[in-house]
Amino acid sequence: MVYSKNDWNKLLKMVCFILVPFWILNVGQCLVQKDRFDEELLLKPLPSGHVYAYFQFTTVWDAPSGPQMFQHCHLFPRALGEVAGRHNVQELHVTLTEGLWRYEYWGFPVSDAAPGAELWTWFRNDTKDVDNIWKKLTGALSGLLCASLNFIGTPNSLSPEYSFRPTGVVKNSNLNSSFVRYATLPREIVCTENLTPWKKLLPCDSKKGFASLLNAGHIHNTNYHSLGLHIRPVCKDAKCTEVSIELRQTVSLVYDMMILGFQNQDWSLRKLFGLGLSGPCPLATSSFIYVDVTSNETGTPYQLQPEPTEVITSIRGGYESKFKVYNIQKMSFTHMLNIVATYSTPKVYAVNVPPVLYASRYIVGYGQERGGIVTKIHNNHWKHLDIIYLENIPWFLPIYLHTLRVVAGGKEITPILKKYVPGKERSRPYSLEVLLRIPARSVTEIYIEFDYVFLKWQEYPPDANHGFYIGSAIISAYLPVGKNYMGLPQAGPTIYSSFNASREGFLLQLRTESLIITLPTPDFSMPYNVICLACTVVALAFGPLHNITTKRLCMKDGNSCNGLLIRLKSMLFKGRKPQAQAH
């Protein structure tokens, strides 16, 4: 059947008449959705001579409640939203970190993270079979971030009762720790394969805005770099009658200008990131760059070019900080923006003042039978501090609770509370939570013993002699002062909300080093030696037999092989009577 031009026009009008209302309806839903996106960058010279750069991209969405809430997204990444919605996630926190944050020399970061991969999640109270959902969630995040999170499962996950509390809005005040899961992969390597999918979750990708500064070549040569994704529910208004969804994407970087090959301590956006800023993200509600100039009054001052649009003095927890602010949306971009910090005189490093609280951890013992883990917690405050100490020990390293000792100043301290969950081989790790009150201006040592065990030969990694990793210990505290504290308030999603945000106390979580344990390792060269020996014996035995049974023997005097065969036959049949020939 052949249609005319008029018939095609009528058909097109009919299709448009049917589809246009649905299209208008979908567009209307997108326009009704209230969401906003803020991008921020904090630059801070550290007392050790390093430069700390912290990126934060915050998306807050007043999403409608329901199972189909992530079907129509505007600024919120739909891929991540569907993963959270399908697995009944209430809060999600995942970080990928390379390096170790030096609390003693750098102070406290804005967002803390453990070396390697770290993931902890609160599921909704109506979740059934949390372990199964947890395994599916790690697999989905593994594909989304191109990381090895699929290796997280029940054998290396635990449910802390006191260390992890929801950071967002909770409808029911009766929290059940059976809905929280925490796991680490301390051996995870962070590379460009993780940065690329992380940037694709941003509204402007890496083409515009602050994300264009995230050049892989200038990120992975830092002393410390960390990627983070944090999802939580927040209040939509002051009365908290409705709830919104907040997504914070963070990047923490620590640069050493001398290691990068520069002759002086002057730094700039081009030196740190390889290029200048071309402009804000068109979809961003606000775009700010904050430069911490507090060290100008205590150390060697430096000058900033161009001049900032605003100067903010923040008093937080009894300590004053000063920031120079660049409002990128109010600046003209005839060329790339390059913020340059120039020191008028050679930089003089001030005396390092350690933060109020920091810790370190190491292994003691000798041999391959028994050992111990020692954690030193330094309290530089003039008053005692209450802390929660969380230890996550793999199942192949059994610890003994009766060997737990807490000593401060030569005196043994009795813990206020202890929660110990014994591990189970290949099924559950060892979990230890200890509530302590550490004395003022003291060093508290937490000691516990463990045993070295033998594993099955299939359970050893390819480089078994390198050792096995143990995740970082987590110390949670409530600091009464804001010295060296840069964390965000719980009710404020942006860096700007942390200015002049004094509280009675400041919640802090810090991570220690990850440890490497060398377990008794069999000699994996023995199978190779046995294989070589067996193959040699078989070759030596099989070769002569094969030659004797398959080769012909010939005389050297030039006689043919036929003559030799006739002689052999005559010798074999000599003495036998000839058989009668058939007629």
Side-chain angles (χ1 to χ4, degrees):
M1 181 179 295
V2 179
Y3 292 96
S4 63
K5 186 176 181 180
N6 294 332
D7 295 335
W8 281 111
N9 291 333
K10 292 180 181 180
L11 182 61
L12 182 59
K13 290 180 181 180
M14 185 181 300
V15 171
C16 292
F17 179 78
I18 296 174
L19 296 181
V20 166
F22 292 97
W23 178 80
I24 294 175
L25 179 61
N26 291 334
V27 172
Q29 291 179 354
C30 294
L31 294 176
V32 171
Q33 293 174 359
K34 299 180 180 179
D35 50 5
R36 59 186 181 275
F37 172 69
D38 302 298
E39 53 180 2
E40 297 172 297
L41 170 59
L42 172 64
L43 299 172
K44 179 180 180 180
L46 300 176
S48 60
H50 299 77
V51 180
Y52 175 44
Y54 174 76
F55 292 82
Q56 178 169 298
F57 305 92
T58 308
T59 305
V60 181
W61 180 25
D62 301 340
S65 59
Q68 306 296 329
M69 57 185 300
F70 293 106
Q71 295 297 323
H72 303 284
C73 299
H74 181 213
L75 299 178
F76 199 94
R78 178 176 176 178
L80 182 61
E82 288 186 350
V83 170
R86 185 173 300 175
H87 298 90
N88 213 19
V89 172
Q90 178 178 334
E91 279 195 23
L92 173 65
H93 304 269
V94 55
T95 57
L96 301 172
T97 307
E98 185 71 22
L100 177 66
W101 183 270
R102 307 288 179 177
Y103 296 92
E104 185 177 358
Y105 306 103
W106 300 343
F108 300 123
V110 179
S111 180
D112 188 49
E118 184 181 40
L119 174 64
W120 64 279
T121 305
W122 272 95
F123 295 94
R124 302 185 188 277
N125 294 336
D126 57 350
T127 306
K128 298 180 181 180
D129 195 0
V130 177
D131 290 333
N132 185 28
I133 297 296
W134 169 248
K135 183 61 180 176
K136 293 181 179 179
L137 174 64
T138 57
L141 291 175
S142 176
L144 184 65
L145 298 175
C146 293
S148 302
L149 300 177
N150 56 308
F151 287 97
I152 293 178
T154 306
N156 55 356
S157 303
L158 62 151
S159 301
E161 186 172 351
Y162 307 105
S163 297
F164 292 99
R165 292 294 179 182
T167 60
V169 180
V170 179
K171 295 183 180 180
N172 188 3
S173 59
N174 297 325
L175 297 177
N176 188 353
S177 61
S178 62
F179 293 102
V180 63
R181 290 294 184 273
Y182 170 77
T184 59
L185 294 175
R187 199 175 183 177
E188 181 69 14
I189 304 299
V190 186
C191 60
T192 310
E193 293 180 355
N194 308 121
L195 179 64
T196 302
W198 183 93
K199 290 192 292 186
K200 290 183 179 180
L201 300 176
L202 296 170
C204 293
D205 202 338
S206 59
K207 301 176 179 62
K208 275 289 187 179
F210 295 168
S212 62
L213 298 176
L214 298 176
N215 186 3
H218 289 74
I219 286 181
H220 297 290
N221 58 0
T222 56
N223 291 35
Y224 173 90
H225 62 271
S226 175
L227 305 176
L229 286 175
H230 308 275
I231 301 177
R232 65 170 185 169
V234 295
C235 293
K236 186 183 298 185
D237 50 17
K239 297 183 180 180
C240 203
T241 55
E242 297 181 358
V243 176
S244 303
I245 300 176
E246 176 193 291
L247 168 63
R248 284 191 298 114
Q249 295 181 241
T250 62
V251 180
S252 299
L253 306 170
V254 176
Y255 291 88
D256 190 340
M257 305 307 296
M258 301 302 292
I259 291 181
L260 294 179
F262 299 103
Q263 301 299 326
N264 50 39
Q265 292 294 326
D266 298 344
W267 53 269
S268 64
L269 292 183
R270 291 187 182 275
K271 287 185 177 180
L272 297 178
F273 310 112
L275 72 167
L277 184 63
S278 60
C281 173
L283 299 175
T285 306
S286 63
S287 300
F288 289 100
I289 296 180
Y290 311 99
V291 182
D292 193 337
V293 294
T294 309
S295 59
N296 279 354
E297 301 177 359
T298 58
T300 305
Y302 58 90
Q303 302 296 328
L304 290 177
Q305 291 293 334
E307 291 296 325
T309 57
E310 185 183 1
V311 178
I312 296 178
T313 300
S314 174
I315 300 176
R316 191 178 188 188
Y319 290 85
E320 181 177 320
S321 302
K322 185 174 291 186
F323 298 89
K324 292 190 176 181
V325 183
Y326 293 86
N327 190 346
I328 305 301
Q329 293 183 340
K330 294 183 179 181
M331 301 178 67
S332 60
F333 285 87
T334 56
H335 57 276
M336 290 282 190
L337 174 64
N338 183 29
I339 299 177
V340 181
T342 307
Y343 291 87
S344 56
T345 59
K347 185 173 181 180
V348 178
Y349 298 102
V351 178
N352 180 48
V353 180
V356 176
L357 185 69
Y358 64 95
S360 60
R361 190 168 63 149
Y362 56 90
I363 299 173
V364 295
Y366 58 91
Q368 295 265 319
E369 184 180 1
R370 292 185 179 180
I373 299 177
V374 178
T375 304
K376 286 188 176 182
I377 304 175
H378 299 255
N379 178 18
N380 296 323
H381 192 47
W382 57 271
K383 189 179 179 182
H384 63 79
L385 293 177
D386 294 335
I387 66 168
I388 299 176
Y389 175 76
L390 172 63
E391 191 71 85
N392 178 19
I393 304 296
W395 59 265
F396 53 78
L397 208 70
I399 60 175
Y400 298 98
L401 183 62
H402 72 278
T403 63
L404 177 65
R405 288 184 295 142
V406 183
V407 180
K411 298 181 180 179
E412 189 166 349
I413 300 176
T414 302
I416 301 175
L417 180 66
K418 291 185 294 185
K419 182 185 178 182
Y420 172 70
V421 178
K424 188 177 181 181
E425 286 190 359
R426 300 169 183 85
S427 300
R428 184 178 61 200
Y430 291 84
S431 175
L432 176 64
E433 284 185 287
V434 182
L435 177 59
L436 296 172
R437 174 166 292 178
I438 57 179
R441 301 189 182 280
S442 65
V443 179
T444 304
E445 294 186 359
I446 302 176
Y447 174 79
I448 192 168
E449 294 182 1
F450 63 85
D451 276 352
Y452 294 93
V453 299
F454 286 95
L455 302 179
K456 297 179 179 179
W457 70 273
Q458 300 96 333
E459 295 173 343
Y460 286 91
D463 51 347
N465 292 302
H466 178 76
F468 292 78
Y469 282 77
I470 300 177
S472 303
I474 300 178
I475 299 172
S476 305
Y478 204 60
L479 298 182
V481 295
K483 183 179 180 181
N484 292 328
Y485 185 79
M486 295 187 293
L488 303 179
Q490 189 169 4
T494 60
I495 299 176
Y496 189 85
S497 62
S498 65
F499 299 149
N500 296 308
S502 292
R503 300 288 187 273
E504 295 181 357
F506 302 93
L507 180 63
L508 171 70
Q509 273 194 344
L510 54 88
R511 272 79 171 171
T512 63
E513 304 90 340
S514 57
L515 302 177
I516 300 180
I517 300 291
T518 304
L519 295 181
T521 306
D523 186 4
F524 286 101
S525 65
M526 283 304 298
Y528 174 77
N529 296 336
V530 171
I531 292 172
C532 292
L533 179 62
C535 291
T536 303
V537 172
V538 170
L540 294 177
F542 178 77
L545 291 177
H546 182 270
N547 291 336
I548 292 173
T549 55
T550 58
K551 288 186 177 180
R552 291 184 176 183
L553 300 178
C554 299
M555 296 295 293
K556 289 184 178 181
D557 56 358
N559 295 332
S560 63
C561 293
N562 293 333
L564 181 60
L565 291 175
I566 294 173
R567 293 182 183 180
L568 289 175
K569 289 180 179 180
S570 62
M571 294 174 62
L572 291 174
F573 293 102
K574 186 177 181 180
R576 294 187 180 182
K577 294 181 179 181
Q579 296 180 357
Q581 297 181 354
H583 296 282

